[in-house]
Amino acid sequence: MRTGKLVVSVLSVCWAMCILAPAAAGAETTTAEETSVRITDHGKRPWILDIEEATISNENFRIANWTGNVLQLTLMSIEPGGEIGLEMHEGMDQFIRIEEGNARVVMGLSEDSLTFDEEVTDDWAIFIPDGYWHNIINTGDGDLKLYAIYAPPEHPMSTVHPTYEDAEEDHHHH
């Protein structure tokens, strides 16, 4: 078993404990029939989804799909040659999983010294520590489909950025 798959399995167990356990205790939840990807943020209530299907079917550059008090799930679709954009988040760690596509991952402690440079593809997990500059660049011929988990949340609840340009414009207004 590759390390990336082990980590994803551990995260799946954690996700199930946080999302499915309240349902077993009788908390109000979203049913399996209601889990199709909609342009809405399902945060702050129990919810389940087929994360692979949701990620692959997402056509937006970024959509905040679940925003809680200390955790956020975003789905992303990056066009060939596109990128997330070089950025750094202070006070948060980030987890990214590639569901479909090929990408180059760069990271470093300063934007001028990106000493981590790796190629990734389907099913790989990326861990971005607090304070690291990073970028994910689509190196494939098709859209790069990924999801990101931020802790704490990075984007306002219900954020939808249909394109990279929309995300950049919104970023400059915050």
Side-chain angles (χ1 to χ4, degrees), residues 5 31 34 39 41 63 66 92 94 97 122 132 161:
K5 293 218 181 222
T31 66
E34 297 173 319
I39 299 183
D41 193 316
I63 178 172
W66 193 93
M92 77 170 52
Q94 186 177 7
R97 184 170 193 272
D122 301 3
Y132 270 74
H161 296 135

Side-chain angles (χ1 to χ4, degrees), residues 64-84:
N65 213 218
W66 193 93
T67 304
N69 293 328
V70 296
L71 191 71
Q72 180 176 56
L73 167 68
T74 63
L75 309 177
M76 298 187 73
S77 180
I78 302 170
E79 296 176 348
E83 62 187 56
I84 288 177

Side-chain angles (χ1 to χ4, degrees), residues 6-83:
L6 175 62
V7 171
V8 170
S9 296
V10 170
L11 277 169
S12 296
V13 171
C14 292
W15 186 262
M17 290 173 61
C18 294
I19 299 303
L20 300 179
E28 181 183 330
T29 63
T30 303
T31 66
E33 292 81 32
E34 297 173 319
T35 61
S36 63
V37 177
R38 295 176 291 230
I39 299 183
T40 188
D41 193 316
H42 301 275
K44 301 204 178 168
R45 67 181 184 136
W47 185 55
I48 61 170
L49 82 157
D50 179 331
I51 198 160
E52 181 178 10
E53 179 183 327
T55 303
I56 290 172
S57 66
N58 173 49
E59 297 297 325
N60 291 291
F61 175 75
R62 178 184 297 121
I63 178 172
N65 213 218
W66 193 93
T67 304
N69 293 328
V70 296
L71 191 71
Q72 180 176 56
L73 167 68
T74 63
L75 309 177
M76 298 187 73
S77 180
I78 302 170
E79 296 176 348
E83 62 187 56

Side-chain angles (χ1 to χ4, degrees), residues 51-150:
I51 198 160
E52 181 178 10
E53 179 183 327
T55 303
I56 290 172
S57 66
N58 173 49
E59 297 297 325
N60 291 291
F61 175 75
R62 178 184 297 121
I63 178 172
N65 213 218
W66 193 93
T67 304
N69 293 328
V70 296
L71 191 71
Q72 180 176 56
L73 167 68
T74 63
L75 309 177
M76 298 187 73
S77 180
I78 302 170
E79 296 176 348
E83 62 187 56
I84 288 177
L86 186 61
E87 60 185 1
M88 187 266 294
H89 308 293
E90 288 200 37
M92 77 170 52
D93 295 318
Q94 186 177 7
F95 167 86
I96 295 175
R97 184 170 193 272
I98 306 296
E99 285 292 346
E100 187 174 271
N102 298 298
R104 179 177 171 214
V105 179
V106 294
M107 286 189 255
L109 287 171
S110 73
E111 60 186 312
D112 299 325
S113 181
L114 302 172
T115 56
F116 183 94
D117 192 337
E118 295 287 337
E119 296 288 326
V120 294
T121 190
D122 301 3
D123 303 328
W124 281 86
I126 303 158
F127 293 85
I128 304 168
D130 171 27
Y132 270 74
W133 286 88
H134 59 279
N135 197 1
I136 312 292
I137 302 116
N138 183 350
T139 58
D141 296 329
D143 289 349
L144 178 65
K145 303 291 188 158
L146 62 88
Y147 65 86
I149 298 174
Y150 299 91

